[in-house]
Amino acid sequence: PDLKDQAAALREPLYRQAVSYLLRYRKDDLGQAVRLFNQILKSSGDFAPAHGGLAEARALRFLWGWEPDPERLRQALDSGKKGVELGPDLAETHLGLGLACMAADRYTPALAELDRAVEIDPGSFRAHLYRGMVLRGLRRTEEAGAEATRLLQIDPSSAAAWSLLGDYYQDSLRFDVARESYLTAALLDQRLFWPRQGLAATYQKQLNYGAAAKTYDATEHDFPEEQLRVRILEASLLIATQNYEEALRLYEAISEKEIFSPPLLRRLMLAGRAYALEKLGSAEKAEYYWTQLVEEFPPDFDGAVRDREVVSRGYEGLVRYHDGKGDRRRATDLLEKACRQGGMDYTLPTA
């Protein structure tokens, strides 16, 4: 056969192998998926599922901090749009674009694309998984739980499905079953970071700080490539236990030039560092980080509720600072600016 026929014959098996890499949700496997999707597109540039798969793989690498380059995220969005253009009736193209939109903090179009993917293929595991992730980010907790249940009907042995179920129970404050769900996920896949992070967060929300600390320590040991993410979460535990000096030491060990993905990690770092400085009596230094947090936040943000909550703390910190300095005019200006930001969660003074 000529090379063109050979490439066409290889397209489907290469695509199936790329998808199998996707479903492992690990850094190296996602890199292999990107390589294979690109290989397919070199000879079959009009193969819509490969464009969708490339968008999906790049978005996952961005969401999990393995490829924080904004240019790669833009490429993911471009691939997703190209896939939908070429294959508007394929669930694979809509879920790829939907996940890329989620990674770019564009939750409104993300949910629309994932709704369409589920409509086209009600049995698509990945479409339900990513839809559940978006719904969780929007705090539509019961809907996210329904997606987790559907995932376990499709594949009861999936560690990702059990992890999403753990997230649902954690958000519902049902901590015992959240723990069991995360432990089941970790048993099914010991190399998946998601359930380990969820387990530590559950212990922390339960105020079982000792168990949370041990889980963070074990996670950092078992997942050295996740050290940055784990240390930001460890610092939040130290803040919760009022160990502000140790929390600040962890924050200061992270370069301010570090590129984070998703951006929530940087927002958590800035907020935590500002709060620790404020509690340690360094109000001026705290104001610097509160200001960075607020000024970096996009005015047209369309992402998760958690990001908005963190930035809300930034406005609160700035109002406290300027009130404490007797600069009521500046505090009022900040209040007005804060109130123009949609979807925020404030406990701001109004008197």
Side-chain angles (χ1 to χ4, degrees), residues 31-248:
Q32 291 295 324
V34 168
R35 178 181 65 83
L36 288 178
F37 287 131
N38 276 324
Q39 184 65 38
I40 293 167
L41 292 171
K42 283 181 182 179
S43 56
S44 302
D46 61 347
F47 188 53
H51 286 285
L54 186 58
E56 183 181 349
R58 288 208 185 282
L60 286 169
R61 285 172 66 84
F62 184 87
L63 281 167
W64 288 338
W66 299 329
E67 196 170 49
D69 184 354
E71 175 60 21
R72 294 297 191 188
L73 180 58
R74 186 193 63 77
Q75 291 174 7
L77 288 164
D78 289 344
S79 296
K81 291 172 184 175
K82 184 67 172 177
V84 170
E85 177 187 327
L86 291 169
D89 297 323
L90 297 175
E92 293 86 353
T93 62
H94 288 282
L95 70 87
L97 178 56
L99 189 67
C101 288
M102 177 188 175
D105 285 329
R106 302 177 186 175
Y107 275 41
T108 300
L111 188 57
E113 293 295 335
L114 293 166
D115 285 346
R116 179 63 179 143
V118 168
E119 179 184 1
I120 293 170
D121 184 1
S124 170
F125 178 89
R126 283 141 58 216
H128 283 286
L129 176 65
Y130 305 145
R131 187 172 185 272
M133 290 163 58
V134 170
L135 290 167
R136 189 200 181 206
L138 293 172
R139 296 282 171 84
R140 291 165 60 172
T141 303
E142 292 306 317
E143 292 174 82
E147 289 291 18
T149 300
R150 178 68 180 124
L151 287 168
L152 288 169
Q153 292 170 348
I154 296 171
D155 184 0
S157 66
S158 167
W162 282 99
S163 298
L164 184 62
L165 185 67
D167 289 347
Y168 162 68
Y169 284 132
Q170 182 194 147
D171 294 343
S172 303
L173 306 183
R174 298 170 63 183
F175 297 125
D176 290 344
V177 280
R179 277 202 321 274
E180 290 304 315
S181 299
Y182 289 131
L183 289 169
T184 300
L187 181 65
L188 289 166
D189 186 350
Q190 293 183 337
R191 297 306 308 156
L192 185 64
F193 179 71
W194 185 350
R196 297 285 288 273
Q197 175 182 320
L199 183 62
T202 298
Y203 281 132
Q204 187 167 331
K205 286 185 178 179
Q206 271 190 296
L207 309 184
N208 189 343
Y209 296 135
K214 289 178 182 177
T215 305
Y216 284 131
D217 287 344
T219 302
E220 186 172 356
H221 177 269
D222 294 342
F223 295 85
E225 71 279 8
E226 300 289 355
Q227 184 184 79
L228 178 63
R229 185 183 298 248
V230 174
R231 289 195 172 175
I232 289 173
L233 298 173
E234 282 182 309
S236 75
L237 175 62
L238 292 168
I239 292 286
T241 56
Q242 300 182 16
N243 193 342
Y244 303 118
E245 290 182 354
E246 281 300 302
L248 189 59

